[in-house]
Amino acid sequence: MALTDDAIAKIRSMIQSGELPPGTRLPPEPQLAAQMGLSRSGVREAVKVLESARVLDVRRGDGTYVTSLAPRLLLEGLGLAVELLRDDTLLEVMEVRRMLEPVATGLAALRMTDTRLDELAQILQDMRAAADDAEKLIQFDTAFHHTVIATTGNETLTSLLDGLSSRTLRARVWRGLIEGNAAHKTIDEHQAIYLALRSRDQLLAQASALIHVNTSEAWLRTVLAAKPTRS
């Protein structure tokens, strides 16, 4: 493991220094191992780890390349990690969302195009038509918030919030809302966000998003509190 860690550190250093910029093909394994003064097995394992992390792209029969290093690739694993978090930690995730999502929504109000606003209007219409269907609501809820955050033009922020808003987390909240006959109220909160964005009101958009995240967090707490405890 120590040799693998050394190889990972050296490859990362080569990427960070610009010696191996995005899109560059790595030297063949024997050459790379000799260049770094490490064993071929250590280099091979390091490449596997960095491939899993979306830093390297191994193309069979062609070679190994540095990826684009785009945030959407490097942060791709965040969603999987969130899916595996336990209940108490999911509440921490909601806390992080509460810190980031309202500010991002306020920024979106300044950058939202009419085309994007029309897309949100259609999503809202679809949400109201599916008010009792948890699976469809999860799908439309995901599309709504992704469209809003992507409007900021900040790929890192978009990838981060996409990862924090896992499907499992949304499912728990929406199923709780439907069971509690509160789905329509939450859809109205989406409507409030949309109207604030349509008016280009940054502070109102931020406040509307904060109310919405707080509602989602409250329902998640309710769902977790009702979860049967193991004896």
Side-chain angles (χ1 to χ4, degrees), residues 33-114:
Q35 182 178 337
M36 296 192 298
L38 297 172
S39 68
R40 290 180 61 178
S41 61
V43 171
R44 190 178 306 118
E45 291 304 314
V47 168
K48 289 180 181 178
V49 172
L50 292 173
E51 180 186 17
S52 297
R54 304 296 190 268
V55 174
L56 297 178
D57 178 20
V58 178
R59 304 174 189 174
R60 307 302 173 192
D62 186 12
T64 300
Y65 294 79
V66 179
T67 67
S68 65
L69 302 179
R72 61 181 174 78
L73 283 177
L74 300 182
L75 294 173
E76 193 175 64
L78 178 61
L80 177 60
V82 171
E83 293 282 354
L84 297 174
L85 293 177
R86 300 177 68 85
D87 294 347
D88 290 345
T89 316
L90 284 177
L91 292 173
E92 293 184 4
V93 170
M94 292 300 298
E95 188 173 70
V96 175
R97 280 187 57 192
R98 183 155 28 94
M99 295 175 186
L100 298 177
E101 198 166 313
V103 176
T105 303
L107 179 59
L110 304 178
R111 301 179 178 178
M112 184 75 69
T113 65
D114 288 341

Side-chain angles (χ1 to χ4, degrees), residues 11 19 49 80 88 94 106 112 115 119 150 157-158 165 168 187 196:
I11 294 173
E19 185 177 349
V49 172
L80 177 60
D88 290 345
M94 292 300 298
M112 184 75 69
T115 299
E119 289 178 15
L157 180 61
T158 303
S165 303
T168 296
I187 293 172

